[in-house]
Amino acid sequence: MPGLILGEQPDDLTVAVEQIILSSSESDYLDRLIPLLKNAQTQTQVTPLIHALSHVSADRETQIERICNTNHQEFISSVQQLQSVREGTVSLTSEIMELSHSIEASTEKLAEQKKALVDSRGVRQNIDDATQALKDCLEVLRLANQVHDLLGKKNHYAALRALDELQNVHLREITRYKIADMIERSVPATQRLIAEAVMTDLNTWLFRIRETSQFLGEVAFYHTEMRRARQKERAEQDQYLGAAKLNSAVELVADESEEFDVLNNEEVQVDFSPLFECLHIHDALGQTDKFRADYAATRRRQKDLLLPQSLNLLDEESNGLSSLLEGIAGFAIVEKATMAKTENFRAQADVDELWDSMCQSAISLISSALHTVDNDDKLLKIKGVIALFIQTMDSWSYSVSSLDGLLLTLFDKYSSLLKKRFSDDFQEIVSTDDYMPMPVNDADEYAKVINVSWYTPPEDVPPLEKMEFPCVLPFSQMYPLVCIDIRNFLNQIYLFTDDHFKHTNVIDQTLKDSLDELLVNKVCQSLTDRLKSQYPGQIVQILTNVDHFEQACSELEGLLVEARSTASAAGPIKLQATQKFKDAKTAAERRIFELVNSKIDDLIETAEYDWTSTWVPDSVSLYMQELTRYLSNIMSSVLLGLPYSIKDMIYYTALQHIGESLMVLPLDAAGPRISNQAAHAFVLDVGHLVSFVQNLDEGDRPQVLIEALDELRQTTDLMSLAAEGKGEAFFDVSISSKRFPKVDKIKGAELLEKVETSGGIGAASQAPSSPVVGNLGARTEGHMHKPSVIGDFRDRLGQIGKRA
């Protein structure tokens, strides 16, 4: 066994033993010996070492013996030394044996410890693996709990990101554990929880938006009011800017410096974060289409909640209508803002559909409640609220055409109510008028009347500062009152266009038609109906009023042309009322003619001529005195307030009628022959009439008026010639054309046959034959009682006016 061991490792052990022996010190000896002992795992490995040492010892003995043989003494000493060495070797061997046993014991213990170490290392690795797995699982659980914590804190997007990180990163690291499957199965449920939570927050946001919509609309309306005010100021400063309407390009550019965010200001702040978060989360979950559909359905339901079942338009401040329109405005503004702040979320068609639906519902509510409104001022307030709504929503690029149609309906109702109110006012003014010239007490009152009415004082009226008060105006008080109402009616109608009304041509046409209807039916017709009166003074006052109304209508036509919008058709405006008042003036003139002529006929019927009388009267007949007194009275009292043109025409017609009526008397076919005394009485009466006209203190007018009696004067002149026996001169063309141009040849011949020839009529009883004709510059207007006669009268006035 030793030999085998030595045979197996002779060199290594021998070299090691030699090195041990050659060690310089014991410490070195031990240092070299210990590695060999450590490498000896069992007793079998220690024995070769001992054999190696024995072999070395034997070698040494051999060497010693050889040395001893060479040198005995030295050998003896060497033996002794060797003996000492041997003793030391034996001692060392004992120590080595003890050390070997010690090493062996240590080796066994070391082996046990190594085995325990190996076992502990395996346990520790298992513990480390279990710890890491536990850490991984705990991290997953932490993230899972964090998702729910974030969800509880309403950090929905952070929760979704954490869930996504958990699912796509951390769960893949623990796929070998069952907890991964459990958490993986819970991910869809957690996603649903997140979606439901974010939808709950969105619904809360939508509810707040619905509650805020009215206030948002109110703020938007206020902003539009401010823009109106600023545009009005700019219009006052710059005429060009004044032509720009609200929401036009010019107005928007001019108002750029006044930036205002309706959705984010001191009054209201609309935060779209919940919507963005919900949209982003549903996009991450791949449920964008579903969310878009759900959101659209929710907004449709909210739209329905905005609209009440009925609307009250009778409250003083129109709060119900304002609330309705403010709510719609706020709702629509949020929709537009949502479109602007998101991409491909709200379709334009959906938003337009909601807008159209709300507009139609609002129009239906307003239209159904419109019949309860019977006050034009209230309707104007309603229009103002709707116009404000239209201008506000027009600035957000919504279509307002249907609302413009509603304004047309409101205007029809407004104009009807306004026309009814002013119709009642006109009726009351006309029915309560005293039909007397209007007295004016002071300059202020006079100035007010001049300002409100279309009245131009005559040229002979002194200026205001030189006028004496009280004074009397020709028209009655109904004229300025009606003028005030006309101006008020114009202002009230055009008030409808102040804010927003595109159909200005409708207003212009409605205004014209309404004024025509009011003036014709309520003023002109009422005055025409009163012409049945038997009082000439009242008829004269009606004629005066009608004449001024005719002039006012002409002025009003020009005013309507100036006031109408540029969009209306060009050209003059003609009121039917102008012609109606002209016709009424003609009817009034005719009525005055009838009354005056009736009185004249009554007086002439009292004439009692005895055509066969032989007595020459020395004074004018009583009926002629009454007739001239009547003419003087109507000239100085009844006709005093009429314009000169109308007064002259009436007077001219009256004189012409007197002439015609008087000529009938001597030419009565049933009457007897006329004595020269009777002819003298007739000529005396006609001369008195002519003298009365010639003595009128009216400038050139008597010379014009006397022409109405030319035929009568020439006829009485012919009677005088006939009584003198010179009647054949009538048949002399040269004399007749100069002296009797207006006497009918047949009637003249009949008169010559009836007048008895005698010694002639005294010169004192002869009537004047050729009055002096002066100038008259008066202006003449009006209708004719007889067209030919009045036409001659006007031609005559025109000729005199040219000469003047």
Side-chain angles (χ1 to χ4, degrees), residues 102 309 328 416 696:
S102 177
Q309 296 297 321
I328 293 175
S416 299
L696 291 173

Side-chain angles (χ1 to χ4, degrees), residues 204-407:
T204 302
W205 178 77
L206 287 173
F207 175 77
R208 291 175 180 172
I209 287 294
R210 183 171 70 85
E211 294 295 319
T212 311
S213 291
Q214 181 180 342
F215 185 61
L216 178 63
E218 184 179 349
V219 172
F221 284 9
Y222 175 77
H223 175 54
T224 304
E225 287 280 12
M226 294 299 100
R227 288 175 56 203
R228 281 182 183 175
R230 291 193 292 269
Q231 179 62 16
K232 186 176 180 181
E233 292 178 1
R234 289 190 287 266
E236 294 173 353
Q237 298 172 2
D238 191 327
Q239 184 177 3
Y240 172 74
L241 291 178
K245 301 295 184 183
L246 205 68
N247 296 323
S248 63
V250 174
E251 187 273 334
L252 292 174
V253 171
D255 204 57
E256 279 183 344
S257 58
E258 302 291 340
E259 293 185 359
F260 183 81
D261 189 354
V262 175
L263 296 166
N264 188 14
N265 52 76
E266 294 180 357
E267 300 295 334
V268 60
Q269 295 85 31
V270 179
D271 184 12
F272 284 87
S273 299
L275 175 63
F276 298 153
E277 183 181 31
C278 193
L279 181 61
H280 197 60
I281 287 176
H282 281 83
D283 182 56
L285 293 175
Q287 299 177 2
T288 303
D289 292 339
K290 179 180 180 300
F291 172 59
R292 185 184 295 114
D294 292 343
Y295 183 86
T298 302
R299 292 298 280 170
R300 282 193 294 271
R301 289 193 298 270
Q302 286 192 323
K303 178 264 298 182
D304 295 335
L305 293 175
L306 279 175
L307 304 173
Q309 296 297 321
S310 61
L311 185 63
N312 180 19
L313 296 178
L314 298 181
D315 57 320
E316 286 294 328
E317 301 298 329
S318 300
N319 292 327
L321 179 61
S322 297
S323 299
L324 171 64
L325 298 184
E326 287 168 358
I328 293 175
F331 185 94
I333 288 172
V334 170
E335 285 297 298
K336 277 290 184 181
T338 303
M339 284 186 59
K341 293 177 181 295
T342 58
E343 184 177 356
N344 299 326
F345 177 59
R346 295 293 286 150
Q348 182 69 49
D350 292 341
V351 175
D352 290 341
E353 181 184 358
L354 286 176
W355 168 251
D356 292 339
S357 175
M358 289 188 294
C359 286
Q360 292 302 322
S361 298
I363 291 172
S364 299
L365 288 171
I366 295 171
S367 300
S368 61
L370 200 58
H371 71 278
T372 62
V373 182
D374 56 359
N375 181 276
D376 54 276
D377 289 336
K378 180 61 182 176
L379 201 60
L380 195 61
K381 291 181 181 179
I382 294 173
K383 182 264 174 183
V385 175
I386 296 176
L388 184 62
F389 173 66
I390 291 176
Q391 290 178 327
T392 300
M393 302 320 296
D394 189 30
S395 65
W396 286 86
S397 303
Y398 277 107
S399 174
V400 294
S401 56
S402 59
L403 296 170
D404 284 334
L406 175 62
L407 290 185

Side-chain angles (χ1 to χ4, degrees), residues 391-529:
Q391 290 178 327
T392 300
M393 302 320 296
D394 189 30
S395 65
W396 286 86
S397 303
Y398 277 107
S399 174
V400 294
S401 56
S402 59
L403 296 170
D404 284 334
L406 175 62
L407 290 185
L408 271 178
T409 303
L410 288 178
F411 178 70
D412 290 341
K413 176 78 172 181
Y414 176 74
S415 60
S416 299
L417 292 176
L418 204 61
K419 186 165 60 177
K420 182 180 182 302
R421 177 161 68 88
F422 279 93
S423 175
D424 296 339
D425 289 348
F426 285 174
Q427 187 69 39
E428 182 180 359
I429 290 171
V430 174
S431 62
T432 58
D433 190 57
D434 57 3
Y435 293 95
M436 296 291 289
M438 181 178 179
V440 178
N441 298 320
D442 52 44
D444 290 341
E445 186 178 350
Y446 180 83
K448 290 178 181 179
V449 172
I450 297 300
N451 288 333
V452 300
S453 60
W454 290 277
Y455 170 65
T456 303
E459 295 180 359
D460 57 349
V461 175
L464 180 61
E465 58 272 8
K466 296 182 180 180
M467 290 186 65
E468 295 182 0
F469 295 96
C471 67
V472 176
L473 295 176
F475 42 78
S476 64
Q477 64 180 5
M478 70 168 291
Y479 174 69
L481 291 177
V482 170
C483 289
I484 291 174
D485 267 7
I486 290 174
R487 292 183 185 274
N488 288 337
F489 185 76
L490 287 172
N491 294 333
Q492 291 290 321
I493 284 289
Y494 281 116
L495 275 178
F496 207 87
T497 64
D498 277 357
D499 300 327
H500 173 85
F501 190 73
K502 294 183 178 180
H503 309 280
T504 51
N505 56 330
V506 175
I507 284 190
D508 295 333
Q509 186 62 39
T510 302
L511 179 59
K512 175 184 175 298
D513 296 342
S514 299
L515 281 176
D516 259 338
E517 183 177 348
L518 289 172
L519 291 173
V520 171
N521 296 337
K522 297 302 177 181
V523 180
C524 185
Q525 187 61 46
S526 298
L527 293 176
T528 303
D529 293 341

Side-chain angles (χ1 to χ4, degrees), residues 183-203:
I183 295 177
E184 183 71 29
R185 288 194 300 271
S186 68
V187 167
T190 306
Q191 289 178 339
R192 284 194 299 273
L193 286 176
I194 295 174
E196 291 173 359
V198 78
M199 280 302 296
T200 301
D201 284 355
L202 180 67
N203 290 333

Side-chain angles (χ1 to χ4, degrees), residues 11-252:
D11 294 333
D12 292 340
L13 293 175
T14 302
V15 174
V17 170
E18 290 179 352
Q19 289 178 352
I20 294 171
I21 295 173
L22 293 177
S23 296
S24 58
S25 62
E26 292 182 359
S27 59
D28 190 14
Y29 172 84
L30 293 175
D31 289 338
R32 293 181 181 274
L33 180 62
I34 288 171
L36 293 176
L37 296 176
K38 285 184 178 180
N39 290 332
Q41 297 293 325
T42 61
Q43 180 63 37
T44 57
Q45 292 176 339
V46 176
T47 302
L49 178 60
I50 297 173
H51 289 171
L53 290 175
S54 298
H55 181 71
V56 171
S57 178
D59 288 341
R60 286 289 184 263
E61 288 180 353
T62 304
Q63 288 178 4
I64 293 170
E65 184 177 357
R66 187 172 59 249
I67 292 171
C68 288
N69 291 328
T70 304
N71 191 347
H72 181 74
Q73 188 64 34
E74 292 178 359
F75 177 73
I76 294 300
S77 59
S78 296
V79 169
Q80 293 176 347
Q81 291 178 354
L82 182 61
Q83 188 68 32
S84 298
V85 169
R86 186 171 183 176
E87 291 176 357
T89 302
V90 173
S91 177
L92 183 61
T93 301
S94 298
E95 293 178 0
I96 290 173
M97 290 300 294
E98 292 177 1
L99 180 61
S100 175
H101 290 298
S102 177
I103 291 172
E104 185 177 358
S106 298
T107 301
E108 291 177 356
K109 185 177 181 181
L110 183 62
E112 292 176 357
Q113 290 178 350
K114 184 176 181 180
K115 181 180 179 182
L117 178 62
V118 171
D119 293 341
S120 66
R121 284 179 177 175
V123 173
R124 186 174 65 183
Q125 184 64 40
N126 292 337
I127 293 173
D128 290 342
D129 293 341
T131 302
Q132 186 61 42
L134 185 60
K135 288 181 179 178
D136 293 340
C137 293
L138 287 175
E139 180 66 17
V140 170
L141 288 175
R142 185 187 66 78
L143 289 176
N145 291 331
Q146 184 182 16
V147 170
H148 290 278
D149 291 340
L150 291 173
L151 192 59
K153 295 177 181 179
K154 297 186 180 301
N155 294 332
H156 305 116
Y157 183 68
L160 186 64
R161 289 291 302 272
L163 183 63
D164 182 69
E165 181 182 356
L166 175 65
Q167 183 180 18
N168 297 319
V169 178
H170 297 282
L171 284 181
R172 292 182 180 180
E173 298 176 356
I174 61 169
T175 53
R176 60 186 180 275
Y177 305 120
K178 291 183 178 180
I179 191 172
D181 295 335
M182 295 173 60
I183 295 177
E184 183 71 29
R185 288 194 300 271
S186 68
V187 167
T190 306
Q191 289 178 339
R192 284 194 299 273
L193 286 176
I194 295 174
E196 291 173 359
V198 78
M199 280 302 296
T200 301
D201 284 355
L202 180 67
N203 290 333
T204 302
W205 178 77
L206 287 173
F207 175 77
R208 291 175 180 172
I209 287 294
R210 183 171 70 85
E211 294 295 319
T212 311
S213 291
Q214 181 180 342
F215 185 61
L216 178 63
E218 184 179 349
V219 172
F221 284 9
Y222 175 77
H223 175 54
T224 304
E225 287 280 12
M226 294 299 100
R227 288 175 56 203
R228 281 182 183 175
R230 291 193 292 269
Q231 179 62 16
K232 186 176 180 181
E233 292 178 1
R234 289 190 287 266
E236 294 173 353
Q237 298 172 2
D238 191 327
Q239 184 177 3
Y240 172 74
L241 291 178
K245 301 295 184 183
L246 205 68
N247 296 323
S248 63
V250 174
E251 187 273 334
L252 292 174

